[in-house]
Coordinates of all heavy atoms in Angstrom, one line a residue:
A10 N 40.3 -12.0 38.3 CA 39.0 -12.5 37.7 C 38.8 -11.7 36.3 O 38.9 -10.5 36.2 CB 37.8 -12.1 38.6
L11 N 38.7 -12.6 35.3 CA 38.4 -12.0 33.9 C 37.0 -11.9 33.6 O 36.6 -11.0 32.8 CB 39.2 -12.9 32.9 CG 40.7 -13.0 33.1 CD1 41.3 -13.9 32.0 CD2 41.4 -11.6 33.2
Y12 N 36.1 -12.8 34.1 CA 34.7 -12.8 33.9 C 34.0 -13.7 34.8 O 34.6 -14.7 35.3 CB 34.4 -13.2 32.4 CG 33.0 -12.9 32.0 CD1 32.5 -11.6 31.9 CD2 32.1 -13.9 31.8 CE1 31.2 -11.3 31.5 CE2 30.8 -13.6 31.4 CZ 30.3 -12.3 31.3 OH 29.0 -12.0 30.9
F13 N 32.8 -13.4 35.1 CA 31.9 -14.3 35.9 C 30.7 -14.6 35.0 O 30.2 -13.8 34.3 CB 31.4 -13.6 37.1 CG 32.4 -13.2 38.1 CD1 33.1 -12.0 38.0 CD2 32.8 -14.0 39.2 CE1 34.1 -11.6 38.8 CE2 33.7 -13.6 40.1 CZ 34.4 -12.4 39.9
S14 N 30.2 -15.8 35.1 CA 29.1 -16.3 34.3 C 28.3 -17.4 34.9 O 28.9 -18.2 35.7 CB 29.5 -16.7 32.9 OG 28.4 -17.0 32.1
R15 N 27.0 -17.6 34.5 CA 26.3 -18.7 34.9 C 26.5 -19.9 33.9 O 26.1 -21.0 34.2 CB 24.8 -18.4 34.9 CG 24.5 -17.3 36.0 CD 23.0 -17.0 36.1 NE 22.7 -16.0 37.1 CZ 22.7 -16.2 38.4 NH1 22.8 -17.4 38.8 NH2 22.5 -15.2 39.2
A16 N 27.2 -19.6 32.8 CA 27.6 -20.6 31.8 C 28.9 -21.2 32.2 O 29.6 -20.6 33.0 CB 27.7 -19.9 30.4
P17 N 29.2 -22.4 31.7 CA 30.5 -23.0 32.0 C 31.6 -22.3 31.3 O 31.8 -22.5 30.1 CB 30.3 -24.5 31.5 CG 29.2 -24.4 30.6 CD 28.3 -23.3 30.9
I18 N 32.4 -21.6 32.1 CA 33.6 -20.8 31.5 C 34.8 -21.2 32.4 O 34.7 -21.4 33.6 CB 33.3 -19.3 31.5 CG1 33.0 -18.8 32.9 CG2 32.2 -18.9 30.5 CD1 33.1 -17.3 33.1
P19 N 36.0 -21.1 31.7 CA 36.2 -21.0 30.3 C 35.9 -22.4 29.6 O 35.7 -23.4 30.3 CB 37.7 -20.8 30.2 CG 38.3 -21.4 31.5 CD 37.2 -21.2 32.5
W20 N 35.8 -22.3 28.3 CA 35.4 -23.5 27.5 C 36.4 -24.6 27.8 O 37.6 -24.4 27.9 CB 35.5 -23.2 26.0 CG 35.1 -24.3 25.1 CD1 33.9 -24.9 25.1 CD2 35.9 -24.9 24.1 NE1 33.9 -25.9 24.1 CE2 35.1 -25.9 23.5 CE3 37.1 -24.6 23.6 CZ2 35.5 -26.6 22.4 CZ3 37.6 -25.4 22.5 CH2 36.8 -26.4 22.0
D21 N 35.9 -25.8 28.0 CA 36.7 -27.0 28.3 C 36.9 -28.0 27.2 O 37.5 -29.0 27.4 CB 36.3 -27.7 29.6 CG 34.8 -28.3 29.5 OD1 34.3 -28.3 28.3 OD2 34.2 -28.6 30.5
G22 N 36.2 -27.7 26.1 CA 36.3 -28.6 24.9 C 35.8 -30.0 25.2 O 36.2 -31.0 24.5
G23 N 34.9 -30.2 26.2 CA 34.4 -31.5 26.6 C 35.3 -32.3 27.5 O 35.0 -33.4 27.9
N24 N 36.4 -31.6 27.9 CA 37.4 -32.3 28.8 C 37.1 -31.9 30.2 O 37.4 -30.8 30.7 CB 38.8 -31.9 28.5 CG 39.8 -32.7 29.3 OD1 39.5 -33.4 30.3 ND2 41.1 -32.4 29.0
E25 N 36.4 -32.8 31.0 CA 36.0 -32.5 32.4 C 37.2 -32.5 33.4 O 37.0 -32.2 34.5 CB 34.9 -33.4 32.8 CG 33.6 -33.2 32.1 CD 32.4 -34.0 32.7 OE1 32.7 -34.8 33.6 OE2 31.3 -33.7 32.3
N26 N 38.3 -32.9 32.9 CA 39.5 -32.8 33.7 C 40.1 -31.4 33.8 O 40.9 -31.1 34.7 CB 40.7 -33.7 33.2 CG 40.3 -35.2 33.4 OD1 39.7 -35.6 34.4 ND2 40.5 -36.0 32.4
L27 N 39.7 -30.5 32.9 CA 40.1 -29.1 33.0 C 39.2 -28.4 34.0 O 38.0 -28.6 34.0 CB 39.9 -28.5 31.6 CG 40.8 -29.0 30.5 CD1 40.5 -28.3 29.2 CD2 42.3 -28.7 30.8
P28 N 39.8 -27.7 34.9 CA 39.1 -27.1 36.0 C 38.1 -26.0 35.6 O 38.4 -25.2 34.8 CB 40.2 -26.6 37.0 CG 41.3 -26.3 36.1 CD 41.3 -27.3 35.0
L29 N 37.0 -26.0 36.3 CA 36.1 -24.9 36.3 C 35.9 -24.5 37.8 O 36.0 -25.3 38.7 CB 34.7 -25.2 35.7 CG 34.6 -25.6 34.3 CD1 33.2 -25.8 33.9 CD2 35.3 -24.5 33.4
Y30 N 35.7 -23.2 38.0 CA 35.7 -22.7 39.4 C 34.4 -22.1 39.8 O 33.8 -21.3 39.1 CB 36.8 -21.7 39.6 CG 38.2 -22.3 39.5 CD1 38.9 -22.3 38.3 CD2 38.7 -23.0 40.6 CE1 40.2 -22.9 38.3 CE2 40.0 -23.6 40.5 CZ 40.7 -23.5 39.4 OH 41.9 -24.2 39.3
H31 N 33.9 -22.6 40.9 CA 32.6 -22.1 41.5 C 32.9 -20.8 42.3 O 33.6 -20.8 43.2 CB 32.1 -23.2 42.4 CG 30.8 -22.9 43.1 ND1 29.9 -23.9 43.5 CD2 30.1 -21.8 43.4 CE1 28.8 -23.4 44.0 NE2 28.9 -22.1 44.0
H32 N 32.2 -19.7 41.9 CA 32.4 -18.5 42.5 C 31.7 -18.5 43.9 O 30.5 -18.9 44.0 CB 31.9 -17.3 41.7 CG 32.0 -16.0 42.5 ND1 30.9 -15.2 42.6 CD2 33.0 -15.4 43.1 CE1 31.2 -14.1 43.3 NE2 32.5 -14.2 43.6
I33 N 32.4 -18.0 44.9 CA 31.8 -17.9 46.3 C 31.6 -16.4 46.6 O 32.5 -15.6 46.5 CB 32.7 -18.6 47.3 CG1 32.9 -20.0 47.0 CG2 32.2 -18.4 48.7 CD1 34.1 -20.7 47.7
G34 N 30.3 -16.1 47.0 CA 30.0 -14.7 47.1 C 30.3 -14.0 48.3 O 29.5 -13.2 48.9
L35 N 31.6 -14.1 48.8 CA 32.1 -13.2 49.8 C 33.0 -12.2 49.1 O 33.7 -12.6 48.1 CB 33.0 -14.0 50.8 CG 32.3 -14.7 52.0 CD1 31.5 -15.9 51.4 CD2 33.2 -15.2 53.0
Y36 N 33.1 -11.0 49.6 CA 33.8 -9.9 48.9 C 34.6 -9.1 49.9 O 34.2 -8.9 51.1 CB 32.9 -9.0 48.2 CG 32.1 -9.6 47.0 CD1 30.9 -10.1 47.2 CD2 32.8 -9.7 45.8 CE1 30.2 -10.6 46.1 CE2 32.1 -10.2 44.7 CZ 30.8 -10.7 44.9 OH 30.1 -11.3 43.9
G37 N 35.8 -8.7 49.5 CA 36.5 -7.7 50.2 C 36.6 -6.4 49.3 O 36.9 -6.5 48.1
F38 N 36.3 -5.3 49.9 CA 36.3 -4.0 49.1 C 37.3 -3.1 49.8 O 37.3 -2.9 51.0 CB 35.0 -3.3 49.2 CG 33.9 -4.0 48.4 CD1 33.1 -4.9 49.0 CD2 33.6 -3.6 47.1 CE1 32.0 -5.5 48.4 CE2 32.5 -4.2 46.4 CZ 31.8 -5.2 47.0
R39 N 38.2 -2.4 49.0 CA 38.8 -1.2 49.6 C 37.7 -0.2 49.8 O 36.7 -0.2 49.0 CB 39.8 -0.7 48.6 CG 41.0 -1.6 48.4 CD 42.2 -1.0 47.7 NE 43.1 -2.1 47.4 CZ 44.0 -2.5 48.2 NH1 44.1 -2.0 49.5 NH2 44.9 -3.4 47.9
R40 N 37.8 0.7 50.8 CA 36.8 1.6 51.1 C 36.4 2.5 49.9 O 35.2 2.6 49.5 CB 37.3 2.6 52.2 CG 36.3 3.7 52.6 CD 35.3 3.2 53.6 NE 34.4 4.2 54.1 CZ 34.3 4.5 55.4 NH1 35.0 3.8 56.3 NH2 33.4 5.3 55.7
A41 N 37.4 3.0 49.1 CA 37.1 3.8 48.0 C 36.4 3.0 46.9 O 35.5 3.5 46.1 CB 38.3 4.5 47.4
A42 N 36.8 1.7 46.7 CA 36.2 0.9 45.7 C 34.7 0.6 46.0 O 33.9 0.6 45.1 CB 37.0 -0.4 45.6
L43 N 34.4 0.4 47.3 CA 33.0 0.2 47.6 C 32.2 1.4 47.3 O 31.1 1.4 46.7 CB 32.8 -0.2 49.1 CG 31.4 -0.4 49.6 CD1 30.7 -1.5 48.8 CD2 31.4 -0.7 51.1
A44 N 32.7 2.6 47.7 CA 32.0 3.9 47.4 C 31.8 4.0 45.9 O 30.7 4.5 45.5 CB 32.8 5.0 48.0
R45 N 32.8 3.7 45.1 CA 32.6 3.9 43.7 C 31.6 2.8 43.1 O 30.8 3.2 42.3 CB 34.0 3.7 43.0 CG 33.8 3.8 41.5 CD 35.1 3.5 40.7 NE 34.9 3.6 39.3 CZ 35.7 3.0 38.4 NH1 36.7 2.3 38.8 NH2 35.4 3.1 37.1
F46 N 31.7 1.6 43.6 CA 30.9 0.5 43.1 C 29.4 0.9 43.3 O 28.6 0.7 42.4 CB 31.2 -0.8 43.8 CG 30.4 -1.9 43.4 CD1 30.5 -2.5 42.1 CD2 29.4 -2.5 44.2 CE1 29.7 -3.5 41.7 CE2 28.6 -3.5 43.8 CZ 28.8 -4.1 42.5
V47 N 29.0 1.3 44.5 CA 27.6 1.5 44.8 C 27.1 2.8 44.0 O 25.9 3.0 43.9 CB 27.3 1.6 46.3 CG1 27.6 0.4 47.0 CG2 28.0 2.8 46.9
S48 N 28.0 3.6 43.5 CA 27.6 4.8 42.8 C 27.3 4.5 41.3 O 26.8 5.3 40.6 CB 28.6 5.9 42.9 OG 29.8 5.6 42.2
L49 N 27.8 3.3 40.8 CA 27.7 3.0 39.4 C 26.3 2.5 39.1 O 25.6 1.9 39.9 CB 28.7 1.8 39.1 CG 30.2 2.1 39.2 CD1 31.0 0.8 39.1 CD2 30.6 3.1 38.0
P50 N 25.9 2.9 37.9 CA 24.5 2.3 37.4 C 24.7 0.9 37.1 O 25.7 0.4 36.8 CB 24.2 3.2 36.2 CG 25.6 3.6 35.6 CD 26.5 3.7 36.8
S51 N 23.5 0.2 37.1 CA 23.5 -1.2 36.6 C 24.0 -1.3 35.2 O 23.8 -0.4 34.4 CB 22.0 -1.7 36.5 OG 21.8 -2.6 37.4
S52 N 24.8 -2.4 34.9 CA 25.5 -2.5 33.6 C 24.8 -3.5 32.7 O 24.0 -4.3 33.2 CB 26.9 -2.9 33.9 OG 27.0 -4.2 34.4
I53 N 25.2 -3.5 31.5 CA 24.6 -4.3 30.5 C 24.8 -5.8 30.8 O 23.8 -6.6 30.8 CB 25.2 -4.0 29.1 CG1 24.8 -2.6 28.7 CG2 24.7 -5.1 28.0 CD1 25.5 -2.1 27.4

């Protein structure tokens, strides 16, 4: 994953045959990754 957005990404140049992907909010965390994630402050 390079980025998540509510905007249509990546740019398709008006070509609807180019795929866009709907993110599904299930997650897998390594134990240490979850511990780090919840310790981080909200980001910009």
Side-chain angles (χ1 to χ4, degrees):
L11 302 180
Y12 193 67
F13 297 85
S14 182
R15 298 183 182 279
I18 58 168
W20 183 58
D21 62 13
N24 182 356
E25 292 190 352
N26 291 319
L27 293 175
L29 296 183
Y30 292 98
H31 183 152
H32 175 236
I33 300 166
L35 276 71
Y36 294 96
F38 292 89
R39 295 191 188 280
R40 177 82 178 238
L43 177 60
R45 181 186 176 200
F46 179 73
V47 298
S48 73
L49 293 170
S51 245
S52 67
I53 293 170

